[in-house]
Amino acid sequence: MDNATSAGSMRAFVVTGPGTAEVREVPVPVAGPGEVVVDVERAGVCGTDTEFFTGEMSYLHTGQAAYPLRIGHEWAGVVSSAGPGVDPAWLGRRVTGDTMLGCGHCPRCAGGRQHLCADRYEIGIRRGWPGALATQLPVPVRALHPLPSTVDSVAGALVEPGGNALRAVRGAALSPGERLLVAGPGTIGVLCALLAEADGIETHLLGVSAESLAFARSLGVTATWTAETLPPLPFDAVIDASGAPSLPARAVELVEPGRRVVFIGIAGEPSPLDSRELVFRDVTAVGVLSASGGLAGTIDRYAAGAVDPRPLVAATVGLDEVAAVLAGERRPAWGAAPKIHVDPRR
C-alpha cells in the first residue's frame, strides 16, 4: 500500500531531537534542474542514523547538520520523475546512488574527490538534504547508479555499505593468497570479508560477540576469532571496521611491517594511536570515507553473484517502527544478521 496521504504530501521519518522522532506528512519532492525523484523501495538503517537519533553524531555539534532532520542514505528505488535537463530515459529505471553530492566545480570535485568537497551535501546526513526514510527521495542525476535486473531492491539498498567495504578492501592492496584481518563483524566488516574472499584473499574476522561471529561463519567466513583466540599469524593487511577506540592501535601492532592498515570504523571517542609505531613499522595508514568510487564495482560484484549481501538483512520494517530500531529494540526472531531495512510504503 502506498502511504502517501495525498498528491501533494508523503510520509517521512523525521528525527526532531536527541531520542525523539516521528513520522510526518511532508511535501512530496519536486525534481529540480539536473535532478530526479526516486520512489524508494528499500532503505537501510545505519550506525550513522543511530548517532543522529542519540545526538552523538559530530555533525550536530559542528553545524553541518541540525534538527529536525530526515535520515537515510542506503537506498534503492525507481525513478518516477525527472527535472529539466535530465534524459527522460531515466524514467522507470531501477537505481541506487551516491550519498556524497559535491558542488561539481571545485578542485576536489574536478579531481575525482567530490566526496570530500567542502561544500558537499550528504543525503540524509549533511546540510539538510532529505534522506531516504520516506516514500520519495530527490537525487541529482549525476549521483545515480542503475541497478541490473539481477540486483533486487534489497541488494540495491546494500550497495552503499558494500561500496564502503569495497573501498576498504581496495585500500588494503592485497593479492590473492595474502592474508587479511578484518576487525568488526558488523555490516561493513562482514561485507569486507565477503568481498575479500571473493577476490581470493585469505580472510580472518575479529569480533567480540559469539553470536555475530557465528552469523559470519554461516555466510562462509570460517576464520573467526575473539581477542583471546586470535592466532599469532602474520597479517598482510588489517581493516578496522569496528567502533572500538582501542582497535586502531591494535591494528598497527597486528599488521606485518611495511604493509597497510585501513581505517573505516569510527569510534565514539578519539582513538589513541602512537604515530611512532607507524614510522618504526613502516606501516601505511589508509582512511576511507564513503562509498564514492566503490558503488559501480559493488553493483558489478552483486550482479555477478560473487557476493550476495541479502542475508545480512535481519528484518524489514515500516516507517512507524524505525524509532524503536534506532533506540536499540530488536526482536529475538530477527536473529544475528546486522542490518535492518525499511520499506517506507508499509
Side-chain angles (χ1 to χ4, degrees), residues 42 44 74 76 94 147-162 187 190-191 194-195 215 218-219 298-299 301-316 330 334-342:
R42 288 291 186 277
E74 305 173 2
R94 299 177 53 255
L147 293 175
S149 60
T150 49
V151 179
D152 64 14
S153 60
V154 177
L158 284 159
V159 167
E160 197 277 342
T187 298
V190 171
L191 285 170
L194 294 174
L195 288 162
F215 172 75
S218 75
L219 301 184
T298 300
I299 292 170
R301 284 160 174 76
Y302 290 177
V307 172
D308 182 2
R310 294 172 296 180
L312 275 75
V313 179
T316 301
R330 189 178 177 98
W334 290 352
K339 179 63 66 176
I340 302 298
H341 269 183
V342 179

Side-chain angles (χ1 to χ4, degrees), residues 48-49 52 57-59 64-65 69-75 97-103 114-132 137-140 142 160 266 289-292:
T48 301
D49 300 321
F52 275 124
M57 210 292 179
S58 64
Y59 283 5
Q64 298 175 73
L69 56 89
R70 288 167 48 188
I71 59 176
H73 58 278
E74 305 173 2
W75 57 271
D98 201 341
T99 299
M100 310 302 233
L101 311 178
C103 70
Q114 57 87 27
H115 63 295
L116 301 172
C117 172
D119 294 325
R120 72 185 180 275
Y121 292 89
E122 297 179 26
I123 291 176
I125 297 176
R126 190 175 191 261
R127 297 183 63 201
W129 195 285
L137 172 71
V139 188
R142 68 180 186 274
E160 197 277 342
I266 301 176
L289 174 70
S290 91
S292 299

Side-chain angles (χ1 to χ4, degrees), residues 7-314:
S9 65
M10 67 175 184
R11 300 176 80 232
F13 183 80
V14 183
V15 181
T16 55
T20 62
E22 61 189 24
V23 179
R24 290 181 177 176
E25 288 185 31
V26 301
V28 296
V30 176
E35 295 178 0
V36 302
V37 171
V38 173
D39 291 345
V40 180
E41 294 181 331
R42 288 291 186 277
V45 177
C46 171
T48 301
D49 300 321
T50 301
E51 290 183 359
F52 275 124
F53 182 73
T54 62
E56 296 172 321
M57 210 292 179
S58 64
Y59 283 5
L60 293 167
H61 307 288
T62 58
Q64 298 175 73
Y67 297 120
L69 56 89
R70 288 167 48 188
I71 59 176
H73 58 278
E74 305 173 2
W75 57 271
V78 177
V79 176
S80 59
S81 65
V86 175
D87 186 342
W90 281 104
L91 293 172
R93 297 190 75 174
R94 299 177 53 255
V95 295
T96 186
D98 201 341
T99 299
M100 310 302 233
L101 311 178
C103 70
H105 52 75
C106 71
R108 293 178 189 174
C109 288
R113 295 175 290 136
Q114 57 87 27
H115 63 295
L116 301 172
C117 172
D119 294 325
R120 72 185 180 275
Y121 292 89
E122 297 179 26
I123 291 176
I125 297 176
R126 190 175 191 261
R127 297 183 63 201
W129 195 285
L133 295 188
T135 53
Q136 292 186 311
L137 172 71
V139 188
V141 69
R142 68 180 186 274
L144 294 181
H145 286 260
L147 293 175
S149 60
T150 49
V151 179
D152 64 14
S153 60
V154 177
L158 284 159
V159 167
E160 197 277 342
N164 278 277
L166 180 59
R167 288 194 64 216
V169 172
R170 287 173 174 170
L174 295 178
S175 299
E178 293 189 300
R179 183 178 292 122
L180 170 68
L181 176 66
V182 179
T187 298
I188 290 180
V190 171
L191 285 170
C192 284
L194 294 174
L195 288 162
E197 290 199 336
D199 285 346
I201 296 165
E202 179 189 323
T203 305
H204 297 250
L205 185 62
L206 176 65
V208 175
S209 162
E211 187 179 35
S212 64
L213 292 175
F215 172 75
R217 288 194 296 274
S218 75
L219 301 184
V221 185
T222 56
T224 64
W225 314 99
T226 64
E228 292 74 28
T229 63
L230 183 68
L233 296 171
F235 293 105
D236 299 304
V238 178
I239 296 175
D240 176 15
S242 76
S246 63
L247 251 297
R250 182 63 176 144
V252 174
E253 294 175 359
L254 290 169
V255 75
E256 276 288 279
R259 302 309 295 266
R260 291 186 170 207
V261 174
V262 181
F263 299 112
I264 191 168
I266 301 176
E269 60 187 77
S271 300
L273 173 60
D274 188 345
S275 63
R276 293 174 297 183
E277 290 301 309
L278 294 173
V279 175
F280 294 149
R281 295 173 59 79
D282 201 14
V283 168
T284 299
V286 179
V288 173
L289 174 70
S290 91
S292 299
L295 297 170
T298 300
I299 292 170
D300 289 344
R301 284 160 174 76
Y302 290 177
V307 172
D308 182 2
R310 294 172 296 180
L312 275 75
V313 179

